[in-house]
Short mmCIF file of all heavy atoms in Angstrom, two decimals:
data_model
loop_
_atom_site.label_atom_id
_atom_site.label_comp_id
_atom_site.label_asym_id
_atom_site.label_seq_id
_atom_site.Cartn_x
_atom_site.Cartn_y
_atom_site.Cartn_z
N GLU A 132 -124.30 -2.15 238.20
CA GLU A 132 -124.51 -2.46 239.63
C GLU A 132 -123.28 -3.11 240.22
O GLU A 132 -123.03 -3.00 241.42
CB GLU A 132 -125.74 -3.35 239.80
CG GLU A 132 -127.02 -2.55 239.75
CD GLU A 132 -128.29 -3.40 239.75
OE1 GLU A 132 -128.18 -4.66 239.76
OE2 GLU A 132 -129.37 -2.82 239.70
N ALA A 133 -122.51 -3.79 239.38
CA ALA A 133 -121.27 -4.42 239.86
C ALA A 133 -120.09 -3.44 239.83
O ALA A 133 -118.97 -3.81 240.17
CB ALA A 133 -120.97 -5.66 239.01
N GLY A 134 -120.34 -2.22 239.42
CA GLY A 134 -119.28 -1.20 239.42
C GLY A 134 -118.54 -1.07 238.11
O GLY A 134 -117.52 -0.41 238.03
N GLY A 135 -119.06 -1.70 237.05
CA GLY A 135 -118.41 -1.63 235.74
C GLY A 135 -119.36 -1.12 234.69
O GLY A 135 -120.31 -0.38 234.97
N THR A 136 -119.11 -1.53 233.46
CA THR A 136 -120.04 -1.22 232.37
C THR A 136 -119.97 -2.36 231.37
O THR A 136 -119.19 -3.31 231.57
CB THR A 136 -119.69 0.14 231.71
OG1 THR A 136 -120.77 0.50 230.82
CG2 THR A 136 -118.39 0.08 230.93
N LEU A 137 -120.80 -2.32 230.33
CA LEU A 137 -120.77 -3.38 229.33
C LEU A 137 -119.40 -3.38 228.62
O LEU A 137 -118.84 -2.31 228.36
CB LEU A 137 -121.86 -3.16 228.30
CG LEU A 137 -123.20 -3.84 228.58
CD1 LEU A 137 -124.23 -3.41 227.55
CD2 LEU A 137 -123.06 -5.35 228.58
N ALA A 138 -118.93 -4.54 228.31
CA ALA A 138 -117.63 -4.66 227.62
C ALA A 138 -117.68 -3.85 226.32
O ALA A 138 -118.62 -3.96 225.53
CB ALA A 138 -117.33 -6.12 227.34
N THR A 139 -116.65 -3.02 226.14
CA THR A 139 -116.60 -2.08 225.01
C THR A 139 -115.23 -2.18 224.35
O THR A 139 -114.27 -1.59 224.85
CB THR A 139 -116.82 -0.63 225.53
OG1 THR A 139 -118.01 -0.61 226.32
CG2 THR A 139 -116.92 0.35 224.40
N PRO A 140 -115.12 -2.92 223.27
CA PRO A 140 -113.80 -3.07 222.64
C PRO A 140 -113.33 -1.75 222.02
O PRO A 140 -114.04 -1.17 221.20
CB PRO A 140 -114.03 -4.14 221.56
CG PRO A 140 -115.50 -4.18 221.35
CD PRO A 140 -116.17 -3.69 222.59
N MET A 141 -112.17 -1.32 222.43
CA MET A 141 -111.61 -0.05 221.94
C MET A 141 -110.47 -0.31 220.95
O MET A 141 -109.95 0.63 220.36
CB MET A 141 -111.07 0.78 223.10
CG MET A 141 -112.06 1.04 224.22
SD MET A 141 -113.27 2.27 223.77
CE MET A 141 -112.29 3.74 223.92
N ASN A 142 -110.08 -1.56 220.81
CA ASN A 142 -109.01 -1.92 219.86
C ASN A 142 -109.06 -3.43 219.62
O ASN A 142 -109.85 -4.16 220.25
CB ASN A 142 -107.63 -1.49 220.41
CG ASN A 142 -107.37 -2.04 221.80
OD1 ASN A 142 -107.57 -3.23 222.03
ND2 ASN A 142 -106.96 -1.19 222.73
N GLU A 143 -108.22 -3.88 218.71
CA GLU A 143 -108.22 -5.30 218.30
C GLU A 143 -107.94 -6.25 219.50
O GLU A 143 -108.58 -7.28 219.63
CB GLU A 143 -107.15 -5.49 217.22
CG GLU A 143 -107.22 -6.79 216.46
CD GLU A 143 -108.46 -6.91 215.56
OE1 GLU A 143 -109.04 -5.88 215.16
OE2 GLU A 143 -108.84 -8.06 215.28
N GLU A 144 -107.03 -5.83 220.34
CA GLU A 144 -106.65 -6.67 221.49
C GLU A 144 -107.86 -6.86 222.42
O GLU A 144 -108.15 -7.98 222.88
CB GLU A 144 -105.49 -6.00 222.26
CG GLU A 144 -104.86 -6.90 223.30
CD GLU A 144 -103.96 -6.14 224.25
OE1 GLU A 144 -103.98 -4.88 224.25
OE2 GLU A 144 -103.26 -6.81 225.04
N GLU A 145 -108.58 -5.78 222.68
CA GLU A 145 -109.75 -5.86 223.55
C GLU A 145 -110.86 -6.66 222.88
O GLU A 145 -111.58 -7.42 223.53
CB GLU A 145 -110.24 -4.46 223.92
CG GLU A 145 -109.25 -3.74 224.84
CD GLU A 145 -109.74 -2.37 225.31
OE1 GLU A 145 -110.89 -1.98 225.02
OE2 GLU A 145 -108.97 -1.69 226.00
N ASN A 146 -111.01 -6.48 221.56
CA ASN A 146 -112.03 -7.24 220.83
C ASN A 146 -111.75 -8.75 220.95
O ASN A 146 -112.67 -9.54 221.18
CB ASN A 146 -112.05 -6.81 219.37
CG ASN A 146 -113.40 -7.07 218.72
OD1 ASN A 146 -114.39 -6.43 219.02
ND2 ASN A 146 -113.44 -8.06 217.83
N LYS A 147 -110.47 -9.11 220.84
CA LYS A 147 -110.09 -10.54 220.94
C LYS A 147 -110.35 -11.07 222.35
O LYS A 147 -110.78 -12.22 222.52
CB LYS A 147 -108.61 -10.71 220.58
CG LYS A 147 -108.39 -10.67 219.08
CD LYS A 147 -106.99 -11.15 218.71
CE LYS A 147 -106.83 -11.17 217.19
NZ LYS A 147 -105.61 -10.50 216.73
N ALA A 148 -110.08 -10.24 223.35
CA ALA A 148 -110.28 -10.67 224.73
C ALA A 148 -111.77 -10.91 225.00
O ALA A 148 -112.15 -11.90 225.65
CB ALA A 148 -109.73 -9.62 225.70
N ILE A 149 -112.63 -10.02 224.48
CA ILE A 149 -114.08 -10.19 224.63
C ILE A 149 -114.54 -11.43 223.86
O ILE A 149 -115.33 -12.24 224.34
CB ILE A 149 -114.83 -8.93 224.16
CG1 ILE A 149 -114.46 -7.74 225.07
CG2 ILE A 149 -116.34 -9.15 224.18
CD1 ILE A 149 -114.84 -6.38 224.51
N LEU A 150 -113.96 -11.60 222.66
CA LEU A 150 -114.28 -12.77 221.84
C LEU A 150 -113.98 -14.07 222.59
O LEU A 150 -114.72 -15.04 222.50
CB LEU A 150 -113.48 -12.71 220.52
CG LEU A 150 -113.57 -13.95 219.63
CD1 LEU A 150 -115.02 -14.23 219.22
CD2 LEU A 150 -112.69 -13.79 218.40
N GLY A 151 -112.91 -14.05 223.37
CA GLY A 151 -112.55 -15.25 224.17
C GLY A 151 -113.70 -15.66 225.08
O GLY A 151 -113.99 -16.86 225.22
N ILE A 152 -114.39 -14.68 225.66
CA ILE A 152 -115.52 -14.98 226.57
C ILE A 152 -116.74 -15.41 225.75
O ILE A 152 -117.46 -16.34 226.13
CB ILE A 152 -115.82 -13.75 227.46
CG1 ILE A 152 -114.57 -13.40 228.27
CG2 ILE A 152 -117.01 -14.03 228.37
CD1 ILE A 152 -114.69 -12.15 229.12
N VAL A 153 -116.96 -14.74 224.61
CA VAL A 153 -118.07 -15.12 223.72
C VAL A 153 -117.90 -16.60 223.32
O VAL A 153 -118.87 -17.37 223.33
CB VAL A 153 -118.09 -14.20 222.47
CG1 VAL A 153 -118.94 -14.77 221.35
CG2 VAL A 153 -118.60 -12.82 222.85
N LYS A 154 -116.67 -16.97 223.01
CA LYS A 154 -116.41 -18.38 222.60
C LYS A 154 -116.55 -19.33 223.79
O LYS A 154 -117.05 -20.45 223.64
CB LYS A 154 -115.00 -18.49 222.01
CG LYS A 154 -114.93 -17.98 220.58
CD LYS A 154 -113.54 -18.24 220.03
CE LYS A 154 -113.44 -18.04 218.54
NZ LYS A 154 -112.04 -17.91 218.11
N GLN A 155 -116.09 -18.88 224.94
CA GLN A 155 -116.19 -19.71 226.15
C GLN A 155 -117.64 -20.14 226.40
O GLN A 155 -117.92 -21.27 226.74
CB GLN A 155 -115.65 -18.90 227.32
CG GLN A 155 -115.63 -19.61 228.67
CD GLN A 155 -115.23 -18.64 229.79
OE1 GLN A 155 -114.64 -17.58 229.55
NE2 GLN A 155 -115.53 -19.02 231.02
N TYR A 156 -118.58 -19.18 226.22
CA TYR A 156 -120.00 -19.46 226.46
C TYR A 156 -120.74 -19.86 225.19
O TYR A 156 -121.89 -20.29 225.24
CB TYR A 156 -120.68 -18.24 227.08
CG TYR A 156 -120.27 -17.99 228.52
CD1 TYR A 156 -119.19 -17.16 228.83
CD2 TYR A 156 -120.96 -18.59 229.58
CE1 TYR A 156 -118.82 -16.92 230.15
CE2 TYR A 156 -120.59 -18.36 230.89
CZ TYR A 156 -119.52 -17.53 231.17
OH TYR A 156 -119.16 -17.30 232.46
N ASN A 157 -120.04 -19.66 224.05
CA ASN A 157 -120.65 -19.92 222.73
C ASN A 157 -122.00 -19.20 222.59
O ASN A 157 -123.01 -19.78 222.16
CB ASN A 157 -120.82 -21.43 222.50
CG ASN A 157 -121.09 -21.74 221.03
OD1 ASN A 157 -120.69 -20.98 220.16
ND2 ASN A 157 -121.81 -22.82 220.77
N ARG A 158 -122.00 -17.92 222.98
CA ARG A 158 -123.20 -17.09 222.91
C ARG A 158 -122.83 -15.71 222.39
O ARG A 158 -121.80 -15.16 222.78
CB ARG A 158 -123.82 -16.91 224.31
CG ARG A 158 -124.43 -18.18 224.89
CD ARG A 158 -125.75 -18.51 224.21
NE ARG A 158 -126.33 -19.76 224.73
CZ ARG A 158 -126.11 -20.98 224.22
NH1 ARG A 158 -125.32 -21.13 223.18
NH2 ARG A 158 -126.70 -22.04 224.75
N TYR A 159 -123.69 -15.14 221.57
CA TYR A 159 -123.48 -13.74 221.15
C TYR A 159 -123.63 -12.83 222.36
O TYR A 159 -124.38 -13.14 223.29
CB TYR A 159 -124.52 -13.32 220.10
CG TYR A 159 -124.49 -14.10 218.81
CD1 TYR A 159 -125.48 -13.89 217.84
CD2 TYR A 159 -123.48 -15.02 218.52
CE1 TYR A 159 -125.47 -14.57 216.63
CE2 TYR A 159 -123.47 -15.70 217.30
CZ TYR A 159 -124.46 -15.49 216.38
OH TYR A 159 -124.47 -16.16 215.18
N ALA A 160 -122.93 -11.69 222.34
CA ALA A 160 -122.96 -10.77 223.48
C ALA A 160 -123.23 -9.35 223.02
O ALA A 160 -122.78 -8.94 221.94
CB ALA A 160 -121.62 -10.81 224.21
N TYR A 161 -123.99 -8.61 223.83
CA TYR A 161 -124.16 -7.18 223.56
C TYR A 161 -122.89 -6.44 223.96
O TYR A 161 -122.26 -6.77 224.98
CB TYR A 161 -125.32 -6.61 224.38
CG TYR A 161 -126.68 -6.83 223.77
CD1 TYR A 161 -127.72 -7.38 224.55
CD2 TYR A 161 -126.97 -6.45 222.47
CE1 TYR A 161 -128.99 -7.56 224.02
CE2 TYR A 161 -128.23 -6.64 221.93
CZ TYR A 161 -129.23 -7.20 222.70
OH TYR A 161 -130.49 -7.38 222.16
N LEU A 162 -122.53 -5.43 223.18
CA LEU A 162 -121.37 -4.59 223.50
C LEU A 162 -121.85 -3.24 224.05
O LEU A 162 -123.02 -2.86 223.86
CB LEU A 162 -120.52 -4.36 222.23
CG LEU A 162 -119.98 -5.63 221.57
CD1 LEU A 162 -119.26 -5.30 220.27
CD2 LEU A 162 -119.07 -6.40 222.53
N GLY A 163 -120.96 -2.53 224.68
CA GLY A 163 -121.30 -1.22 225.25
C GLY A 163 -121.25 -0.12 224.20
O GLY A 163 -120.53 0.86 224.33
N ILE A 164 -122.03 -0.32 223.16
CA ILE A 164 -122.07 0.60 222.01
C ILE A 164 -123.54 0.75 221.59
O ILE A 164 -124.27 -0.25 221.59
CB ILE A 164 -121.24 0.03 220.83
CG1 ILE A 164 -119.76 -0.03 221.19
CG2 ILE A 164 -121.46 0.85 219.55
CD1 ILE A 164 -118.90 -0.78 220.18
N LYS A 165 -123.95 1.97 221.27
CA LYS A 165 -125.33 2.21 220.84
C LYS A 165 -125.38 3.13 219.64
O LYS A 165 -124.48 3.96 219.45
CB LYS A 165 -126.14 2.82 221.98
CG LYS A 165 -126.48 1.83 223.08
CD LYS A 165 -127.76 2.20 223.80
CE LYS A 165 -128.99 1.65 223.10
NZ LYS A 165 -130.24 1.85 223.85
#
Side-chain angles (χ1 to χ4, degrees):
E132 280 173 359
T136 190
L137 268 174
T139 308
M141 306 284 285
N142 54 49
E143 193 69 23
E144 191 194 11
E145 291 184 4
N146 205 69
K147 282 193 177 131
I149 296 165
L150 173 59
I152 301 175
V153 164
K154 282 185 168 164
Q155 181 187 341
Y156 289 91
N157 195 27
R158 292 285 178 269
Y159 298 173
Y161 277 129
L162 301 175
I164 294 171
K165 286 208 86 173

